[in-house]
Every structure is written in structure tokens, then in C-alpha cells.
């Protein structure tokens, strides 16, 4: 039995290099969408535009998340990557091969290099765990001895060897998904598509499955595209994220960057739903009642050390600054801090502190937004986003949704 990280390839290496995503083709991205639109014809009328002018590149070796609300076009995007749908216009390439015009037969070796993990696991109830994992190997024509070796390796990798002869109905949801992942890895894919792979699981089991996906990426070097509507999945798992809104890419970037400075109103809503460290409307009201003499600033940054630097700047300028709300969120490769600060003192000194703190925040790839005015509740994430103009003051404390949306549209 080999160790958990030394998975071998039982399939015959008959696929063309570009399709398989093997070395020699290393310059091309794992997946590339160029001006892709997908329109589903309707019985009458213009049809449903599921994706419109999508330009995206998934880099080799990364975990790339696609987040969007129901109907945003996430599943259509996945189905275009594995060739189950064809673009109405534009080009979809997998490991450098344009798959938009390939026949079913030409698509087969490419699909073999793409593993799929599903929300509802899609295990065959009539087959044992071994039978389920071995199934794609049977289809690929792998002989019995190689199949058995591979299944044993995969069961070790996902830590479920003792379940080998059980049936799916005898497994918990998390175990089913780990078997689903083992099956997806059977033919040694270079790309894994995880479509809402944790949506049916409780939070603890979700963490286990996401940890397994991170191991698949780290130890096996497999590129992963994670489709989700949950920002905490993005935060804890992905390197980069694309936010889909009504079939268009609203925003794409490094996960921490998108959390720190979401530039589109849809991204802001997703971030806001996840970053609990920012006060909601009730908490804003409470803060203003507790600190009637204070002004407020919202400090966000991937650098947790920024907080102490802005506090020191306050001490140097004789402006008392204190943390009144906030905390640190954990990401795949680091942290993201969000603190609400209460600032007190005469206006020239406070303005001087804001100016200095803005500079410090910019140096730390973070952002400080000044929040003041009537106690009308707050929307700190939206406020933070408007604060890309560092000199701005959010006088409503609500993030002025109309204004921020307008800004975001300009930036698209
Ligand atoms: N085969 C189809 N025929 C017609 N319309 C479709 C088809 N597949 C998807 N659509 C439409 O395309 C749009 C995008 O659907 P898609 O399933 O890709 O979204 P989604 O983001 O995956 O949503 P969900 O999270 O609910 O699964 C929706 O308006 C949907 O109704």
C-alpha cells in the first residue's frame, strides 16, 4: 500500500498532452473563457442568457472559486468547462485546447482529466464504496489489479479504508462526499470541479470536506474550481474568486483583496454576509449610544499589524483611538482584520489622525473609512468600499448604497 500522497496513475497515458494538461503545455491556463456567452433558447421570445461576455482564466495549481446567487450562471459555467454545454459565442479552453468545437469522442480524453464533485454526491446506491470509486476506472478500461490498487490508495487518501465494503446509505453526508472526491480523483484528473460540494453538509462536516479539497490541491497539485453561493467557503478555501452576477463577471481577484476592497455591490453583499466582524445596523445604533462623543472609522486590512500602527499614530498625535468592534477572519493563506475604531478629540487633531491612518492603511494594502453623522444604523462593508477614495466621509453611516452602486458600475 502506498502512502496517502503517492497516488499513481492507473490509466494509460494515451491522451494528447494539451488535453491532459501535462507538462509541455505549462504556459496555458487550466481553464480559459474568452468572450463566452451562453443563451438557452426559449419556446418563444429571445431565450435565457445564462452567461454573457465572460472572460476568465483559472491558473494551474490554484483553487479558484466562482460565487454567485441562484441563477447567476455558476452551473452553466461548470457545464461549459466539462463540455456538457457549448458556448453560443466565444471560446472555452481547457489546458490550452479549445473545447468549444470538439466532438463527443474528442471530448472524452479531456473529460477524463476533469474530476467532478457534486452537491448530492451522486453515488450509486447499489454499489459499495469500492464499486463506486472503481467505476470510472472500469469505464476507462483499467484492469482489475490496477483498479484495486488505485481504489485502496484513494481510500487511504480520504481516510475511509474501513468503509470499503459499505454502501452509500450506510455513510454520513461527509463520508459520502469524501467518497465522491475519491471517485473524482480515480482517473487522476488535473482539474477538479466542485459544484456546491458542501451545500448539503453541516458546518463541521463542511470544514472537513474543504480541508480535504485543500489537501487535494496542495499534495496532488490539482487545480480546483469551487462553485458556491457561500462566501465562507471562498474565504477558507480559495486563492482567487470570480463573483458572478446575472451571467456576467462582476469582479475577479485574489480572495483577500476582494474581501478587503470589494469593488462591486454584489461582491460587497457577499463579503458583508460573511464578515461578521463589521457592525450591523443594530450594533451601529448601540455603538453610537455608548460613545456619543466619538467619531468612527472602519479599518480593514489583510495585515493584522496595521491596527497597532494606527493606535500608535493616535497616541503620537494625542488623539485617543480605541477598538469598539471587530476581529480577524481566517483565510486559506492568511488573515483579514476588520476593526471599528472610536476616535475622540478636537477636530484638527482627529483630521490629522485620519490622514495619517489613511496613509498607514494604504501601505498595508488595507483601507480606512471615516464613518460619522447621525445614528442611523450602518453598513460598514459598503462604507469600506466607498472608502477607496480615502478622503471620503460616509456621513450617513449606512454606506450610501445608491452612491456605492454607482461607483461600482463605473469600475466594471
Ligand atoms: N438548460 C437550460 N435551459 C434553459 N434555461 C437554463 C438552462 N440551464 C440554465 N438555465 C437558466 O440560465 C440561468 C443560469 O442558470 P444556472 O443554473 O447556471 O445558475 P446557477 O448560478 O448555477 O444557479 P443555482 O445556484 O440556483 O444552481 C438561469 O436563469 C437558468 O434558469
Amino acid at each position: 500500500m502506498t502512502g496517502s500522497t503517492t497516488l499513481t496513475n492507473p490509466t494509460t497515458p494515451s491522451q494528447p498532452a494539451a488535453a491532459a494538461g501535462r507538462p509541455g503545455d505549462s504556459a496555458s491556463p487550466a481553464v480559459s473563457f474568452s468572450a463566452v456567452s451562453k443563451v438557452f433558447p426559449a419556446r418563444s421570445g429571445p431565450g435565457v442568457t445564462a452567461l454573457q461576455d465572460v472572460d476568465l482564466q483559472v491558473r494551474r495549481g490554484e483553487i479558484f472559486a466562482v460565487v454567485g446567487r441562484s441563477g447567476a450562471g455558476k452551473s452553466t459555467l461548470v457545464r461549459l468547462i466539462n463540455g456538457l454545454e457549448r458556448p453560443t459565442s466565444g471560446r472555452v479552453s481547457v489546458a490550452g485546447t479549445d473545447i468549444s468545437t470538439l466532438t463527443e469522442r474528442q471530448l472524452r480524453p479531456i473529460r477524463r482529466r476533469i474530476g467532478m464533485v457534486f452537491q448530492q454526491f451522486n453515488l450509486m446506491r447499489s454499489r459499495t464504496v469500492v464499486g463506486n470509486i472503481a467505476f470510472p476506472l472500469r469505464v476507462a478500461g483499467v484492469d482489475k489489479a490496477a483498479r484495486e490498487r488505485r481504489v485502496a490508495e484513494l481510500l487511504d487518501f480520504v481516510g475511509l479504508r474501513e468503509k470499503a465494503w459499505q454502501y452509500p446509505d450506510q455513510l454520513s453526508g461527509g463520508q459520502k462526499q469524501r467518497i465522491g472526491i475519491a471517485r473524482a480523483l480515480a482517473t487522476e484528473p488535473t482539474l477538479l470541479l466542485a459544484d456546491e460540494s458542501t451545500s448539503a453538509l453541516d458546518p463541521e462536516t463542511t470544514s472537513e470536506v474543504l480541508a480535504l479539497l485543500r489537501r487535494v490541491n496542495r499534495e496532488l497539485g490539482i487545480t480546483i474550481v469551487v462553485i458556491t453561493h457561500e462566501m465562507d467557503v471562498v474565504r477558507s478555501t480559495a486563492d482567487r474568486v470570480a463573483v458572478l452576477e446575472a451571467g456576467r463577471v462582476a469582479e475577479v481577484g485574489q480572495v483577500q483583496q476582494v474581501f478587503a476592497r470589494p469593488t462591486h455591490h454584489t461582491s460587497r453583499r457577499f463579503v458583508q454576509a460573511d464578515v461578521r466582524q463589521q457592525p450591523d445596523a443594530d450594533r451601529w445604533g448601540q455603538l453610537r449610544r455608548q460613545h456619543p462623543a466619538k467619531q468612527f472609522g472602519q479599518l480593514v486590512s489583510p495585515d493584522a499589524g496595521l491596527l497597532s500602527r494606527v493606535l500608535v499614530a493616535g497616541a503620537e498625535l494625542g488623539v485617543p483611538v480605541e477598538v469598539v468592534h471587530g476581529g480577524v477572519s481566517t483565510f486559506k493563506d492568511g488573515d483579514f482584520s476588520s476593526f471599528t475604531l472610536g476616535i475622540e478629540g478636537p477636530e484638527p487633531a482627529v483630521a490629522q489622525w485620519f490622514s495619517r491612518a489613511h496613509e498607514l492603511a494604504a501601505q498595508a494594502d488595507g483601507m480606512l473609512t471615516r464613518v460619522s453623522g447621525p445614528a442611523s444604523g450602518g453598513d460598514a462593508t459598503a462604507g469600506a468600499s466607498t472608502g477607496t477614495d480615502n478622503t471620503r466621509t460616509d456621513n450617513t453611516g449606512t454606506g450610501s448604497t445608491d452612491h456605492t452602486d454607482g461607483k461600482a458600475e463605473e469600475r466594471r
Side-chain angles (χ1 to χ4, degrees):
M1 182 65 54
T2 54
S4 64
T5 59
T6 52
L7 295 178
T8 51
N9 181 9
T11 52
T12 43
S14 58
Q15 296 83 9
R22 294 188 168 286
D25 167 47
S26 55
S28 53
V31 179
S32 172
F33 278 59
S34 307
V36 171
S37 293
K38 177 68 186 176
V39 181
F40 290 104
R43 282 209 192 114
S44 61
V48 179
T49 302
L51 291 175
Q52 197 167 357
D53 290 328
V54 171
D55 285 300
L56 270 186
Q57 295 211 325
V58 179
R59 298 170 189 156
R60 283 168 188 255
E62 74 176 345
I63 301 184
F64 186 88
V66 179
V67 69
R69 281 177 292 197
S70 182
K74 305 181 296 295
S75 299
T76 303
L77 191 129
V78 168
R79 293 168 66 78
L80 284 164
I81 296 174
N82 61 22
L84 289 174
E85 297 285 358
R86 314 256 165 178
T88 308
S89 59
R91 210 175 64 229
V92 178
S93 299
V94 174
T97 301
D98 179 358
I99 63 162
S100 318
T101 53
L102 297 187
T103 62
E104 277 297 308
R105 192 187 167 85
Q106 289 168 322
L107 272 171
R108 230 172 277 152
I110 293 170
R111 287 210 187 108
R112 207 171 292 152
R113 294 288 163 202
I114 303 177
M116 278 294 298
V117 184
F118 304 92
Q119 177 175 1
Q120 295 302 336
F121 324 121
N122 291 17
L123 299 177
M124 292 175 284
R125 294 176 68 188
S126 60
R127 290 183 194 236
T128 62
V129 161
V130 166
N132 269 281
I133 299 174
F135 187 74
L137 297 171
R138 274 177 185 273
V139 172
V142 176
D143 69 57
K144 189 163 183 276
R147 276 201 316 263
E148 286 175 355
R149 234 180 4 255
R150 180 69 175 164
V151 170
E153 286 173 354
L154 288 161
L155 279 172
D156 268 1
F157 185 78
V158 301
L160 286 176
R161 200 173 182 187
E162 76 281 5
K163 303 288 180 191
W165 302 107
Q166 298 207 341
Y167 287 86
D169 285 348
Q170 298 172 285
L171 304 177
S172 70
Q175 289 167 342
K176 282 182 198 161
Q177 196 53 298
R178 279 149 70 190
I179 298 303
I181 291 171
R183 180 190 50 191
L185 295 175
T187 54
E188 203 179 83
T190 53
L191 175 66
L192 198 65
L193 305 177
D195 192 357
E196 299 284 5
S197 57
T198 56
S199 299
L201 304 175
D202 62 55
E204 202 176 317
T205 316
T206 292
S207 304
E208 282 169 27
V209 169
L210 294 179
L212 178 58
L213 288 178
R214 287 195 298 270
R215 259 184 74 216
V216 166
N217 172 253
R218 195 177 58 241
E219 295 179 17
L220 308 180
I222 295 175
T223 307
I224 303 182
V225 177
V226 172
I227 304 294
T228 184
H229 64 278
E230 295 167 320
M231 214 52 181
D232 58 337
V233 170
V234 176
R235 179 169 50 72
S236 60
T237 313
D239 299 297
R240 291 194 307 137
V241 59
V243 182
L244 275 190
E245 165 73 24
R248 289 178 180 272
V249 177
E251 179 163 5
V252 59
Q254 292 290 333
V255 171
Q256 273 163 288
Q257 195 66 38
V258 171
F259 269 81
R261 296 168 184 251
T263 60
H264 191 275
H265 58 97
T266 303
S267 322
R268 276 200 295 280
R269 276 188 213 118
F270 274 110
V271 169
Q272 206 180 347
D274 183 59
V275 178
R276 302 274 172 226
Q277 286 84 355
Q278 301 194 347
D280 59 16
D282 285 349
R283 179 71 180 131
W284 269 116
Q286 199 183 27
L287 284 174
R288 291 178 197 283
R289 283 192 300 279
Q290 283 171 343
H291 308 282
K294 280 189 179 22
Q295 298 190 47
F296 296 97
Q298 188 66 44
L299 186 72
V300 292
S301 173
D303 175 0
L306 172 63
L307 175 65
S308 59
R309 296 198 284 281
V310 301
L311 295 179
V312 167
E316 285 170 356
L317 292 167
V319 175
V321 180
E322 67 167 321
V323 175
V324 293
H325 190 97
V328 177
S329 304
T330 307
F331 283 75
K332 179 176 175 244
D333 293 319
D335 295 332
F336 170 80
S337 65
S338 172
F339 295 106
T340 307
L341 305 176
I343 308 109
E344 209 166 337
E347 183 46 34
V350 170
Q352 220 182 338
W353 176 82
F354 264 107
S355 168
R356 176 74 188 122
H358 279 313
E359 281 170 24
L360 291 167
Q363 285 163 14
D365 213 13
M367 192 160 47
L368 176 69
T369 307
R370 189 169 181 171
V371 184
S372 58
S376 55
D379 174 348
T381 306
S385 309
T386 62
T388 46
D389 168 3
N390 277 344
T391 59
R392 250 191 85 183
T393 299
D394 179 354
N395 281 318
T396 65
T398 62
S400 176
T401 306
D402 288 348
H403 192 98
T404 57
D405 284 4
K407 271 255 183 219
E409 289 304 325
E410 282 165 30
R411 289 193 197 103
R412 279 173 58 179

